């Protein structure tokens, strides 16, 4: 009897649609794209942010979530014999709004709750830690790169501890658009603490294939993924698609990369 695969590349666990205000395409277009790719399952993972002060909304409003959930259930029925459709949410961490986030998560019966950490507060406003926009990179560099990264991993540890997340998304994507970024020893210790906590709580790790387009390997990198495998953490493939043509992108690379 052969061993199970290290990761299931017939399921895409991370899709975004026009609802998040920075992606393109209707939900049904993503469903059709996934069927054309031969996928058996997809998970929409739309953005939730709470009390974030940022000049461009990159998350859903309450009315958007109503429409998203209603449309998603319609598609589940329509495509029931062709593909499994799951409705999830990507929770953006805000350590000053943990209780509000918990309350927001009770509004719908989410099938996946992915945890991310996008926004760092500096000088009275938030800046996006995974953005390529120069104003974010400039402000975060001024705040101190090591300080931002420390906050990022410390925050994820608290988020996994306090929130009912089922998966951590793009774990090492902090400041991913800064050239020659390196983690120091303290960062690696925080990462190991985070992974051990995920192991204890049964939290899965996303292998986010959008990284292949940015750095020729997914998020997280090989060192982190190897440690996650040592700890027996479940790996979930996610394309982080923001257009229908990105569904399942680079999934064919994953078996070889993981070996």
């Amino acid at each position: 009897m052969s061993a199970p695969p290290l990761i299931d590349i017939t399921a895409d666990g991370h899709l975004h649609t026009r609802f998040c205000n920075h992606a393109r395409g209707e939900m049904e277009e993503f469903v059709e794209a996934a069927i054309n790719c031969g996928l058996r399952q997809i998970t929409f993972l739309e953005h939730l942010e709470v009390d974030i002060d940022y000049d461009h909304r990159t998350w859903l409003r309450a009315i958007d979530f109503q429409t998203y959930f209603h449309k998603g259930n319609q598609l589940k029925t329509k495509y029931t014999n062709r593909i499994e459709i799951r409705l999830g949410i990507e929770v953006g961490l805000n350590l000053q709004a943990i209780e509000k986030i918990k309350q927001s998560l009770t509004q719908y019966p989410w099938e996946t709750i992915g945890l991310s950490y996008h926004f760092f507060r500096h000088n009275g406003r938030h800046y996006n830690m995974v953005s390529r926009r120069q104003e974010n990179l400039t402000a975060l560099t001024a705040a101190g790169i090591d300080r931002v990264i420390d906050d990022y991993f410390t925050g994820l540890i608290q988020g996994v501890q306090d929130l009912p997340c089922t998966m951590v998304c793009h774990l090492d994507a902090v400041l991913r658009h800064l050239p020659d970024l390196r983690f120091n020893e303290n960062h690696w210790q925080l990462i190991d603490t985070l992974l051990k906590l995920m192991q204890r709580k049964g939290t899965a790790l996303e292998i986010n294939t959008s990284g292949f387009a940015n750095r020729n390997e997914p998020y997280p990198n090989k060192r982190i993924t190897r440690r996650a495998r040592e700890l027996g953490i479940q790996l979930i493939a996610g394309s982080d698609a923001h257009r229908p043509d990105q569904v399942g992108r680079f999934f064919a690379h994953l078996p070889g990369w993981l070996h």
Side-chain angles (χ1 to χ4, degrees), residues 172-192:
D172 67 345
V174 59
L175 297 176
R176 61 188 175 189
H177 297 294
L178 276 182
D180 304 318
L181 181 72
R182 295 289 185 272
F183 295 153
N184 62 34
E185 190 55 39
N186 183 59
H187 301 150
W188 286 114
Q189 290 175 5
L190 290 171
I191 290 168
D192 202 59

Side-chain angles (χ1 to χ4, degrees), residues 43 64 91 106 132 137 201:
T43 302
D64 299 320
V91 180
T106 67
R132 69 175 72 247
L137 296 176
K201 295 183 72 71

Side-chain angles (χ1 to χ4, degrees), residues 48-53 91-101 115-119 121 126 155 158-159 163:
L48 170 70
E49 300 285 351
V50 177
D51 291 350
I52 295 298
D53 178 20
V91 180
L93 188 64
N94 181 353
L95 296 176
Q96 284 69 52
I98 291 292
E99 293 306 316
K100 285 187 179 181
I101 292 172
L115 177 67
S116 296
Y117 193 7
H118 296 113
F119 293 99
R121 189 167 182 83
H126 288 99
Q158 185 172 339
L163 296 173

Side-chain angles (χ1 to χ4, degrees), residues 28 31-32 35 39-42 71-86:
E28 190 160 10
V31 173
E32 291 287 353
I35 291 171
L39 297 182
R40 64 169 186 83
Q41 180 192 95
I42 56 171
K71 182 63 175 178
N73 279 311
Q74 287 183 324
L75 293 172
K76 282 188 174 195
T77 300
K78 180 176 180 178
Y79 289 90
T80 187
N81 295 320
R82 300 180 66 188
I83 190 169
E84 180 184 354
I85 299 170
R86 294 169 56 85

Side-chain angles (χ1 to χ4, degrees), residues 59-78:
W59 55 87
L60 279 68
R61 302 162 299 183
I63 191 170
D64 299 320
F65 276 115
Q66 292 176 10
T67 307
Y68 162 53
F69 203 79
H70 176 69
K71 182 63 175 178
N73 279 311
Q74 287 183 324
L75 293 172
K76 282 188 174 195
T77 300
K78 180 176 180 178

Side-chain angles (χ1 to χ4, degrees), residues 13-248:
H14 193 156
L15 306 179
H16 294 288
T17 71
R18 66 170 181 83
F19 288 122
C20 72
N21 207 38
H22 66 286
R24 300 198 301 272
E26 301 292 337
M27 292 180 77
E28 190 160 10
E29 294 179 275
F30 284 81
V31 173
E32 291 287 353
I35 291 171
N36 291 336
C37 289
L39 297 182
R40 64 169 186 83
Q41 180 192 95
I42 56 171
T43 302
F44 290 102
L45 210 66
E46 292 289 19
H47 285 287
L48 170 70
E49 300 285 351
V50 177
D51 291 350
I52 295 298
D53 178 20
Y54 191 59
D55 63 1
H56 174 62
R57 178 175 61 82
T58 57
W59 55 87
L60 279 68
R61 302 162 299 183
I63 191 170
D64 299 320
F65 276 115
Q66 292 176 10
T67 307
Y68 162 53
F69 203 79
H70 176 69
K71 182 63 175 178
N73 279 311
Q74 287 183 324
L75 293 172
K76 282 188 174 195
T77 300
K78 180 176 180 178
Y79 289 90
T80 187
N81 295 320
R82 300 180 66 188
I83 190 169
E84 180 184 354
I85 299 170
R86 294 169 56 85
L87 300 179
I89 189 167
E90 182 177 358
V91 180
L93 188 64
N94 181 353
L95 296 176
Q96 284 69 52
I98 291 292
E99 293 306 316
K100 285 187 179 181
I101 292 172
K102 288 180 180 179
Q103 180 60 35
S104 296
L105 291 174
T106 67
Q107 301 302 306
Y108 299 96
W110 302 115
E111 294 169 285
T112 295
I113 299 176
L115 177 67
S116 296
Y117 193 7
H118 296 113
F119 293 99
F120 178 86
R121 189 167 182 83
H122 177 59
N123 288 341
R125 60 156 292 186
H126 288 99
Y127 294 91
N128 193 332
M129 291 183 282
V130 298
S131 169
R132 69 175 72 247
R133 291 172 62 183
Q134 190 57 52
E135 66 175 72
N136 288 304
L137 296 176
T138 299
L140 293 169
T141 299
I145 292 172
D146 286 345
R147 175 190 168 203
V148 171
I149 298 173
D150 284 346
D151 180 87
Y152 177 83
F153 288 121
T154 302
L156 284 178
I157 291 167
Q158 185 172 339
V160 171
Q161 182 65 54
D162 293 346
L163 296 173
C165 58
T166 59
M167 175 176 76
V168 172
C169 302
H170 46 66
L171 186 148
D172 67 345
V174 59
L175 297 176
R176 61 188 175 189
H177 297 294
L178 276 182
D180 304 318
L181 181 72
R182 295 289 185 272
F183 295 153
N184 62 34
E185 190 55 39
N186 183 59
H187 301 150
W188 286 114
Q189 290 175 5
L190 290 171
I191 290 168
D192 202 59
T193 298
L194 172 61
L195 291 173
K196 288 176 179 176
L197 176 61
M198 291 168 62
Q199 177 199 41
R200 291 197 301 273
K201 295 183 72 71
T203 307
L205 175 68
E206 180 195 33
I207 305 300
N208 187 306
T209 57
S210 70
F212 280 111
N214 295 326
R215 63 178 192 181
N216 297 315
E217 69 173 343
Y219 304 108
N221 64 26
K222 284 188 176 181
R223 175 171 172 175
I224 296 170
T225 304
R226 185 181 299 114
R227 181 61 175 144
R229 287 181 56 190
E230 290 172 355
L231 293 170
I233 294 171
Q234 180 187 5
L235 306 180
I236 295 179
S239 66
D240 210 343
H242 282 62
R243 305 191 311 262
D245 64 309
Q246 294 176 337
V247 174

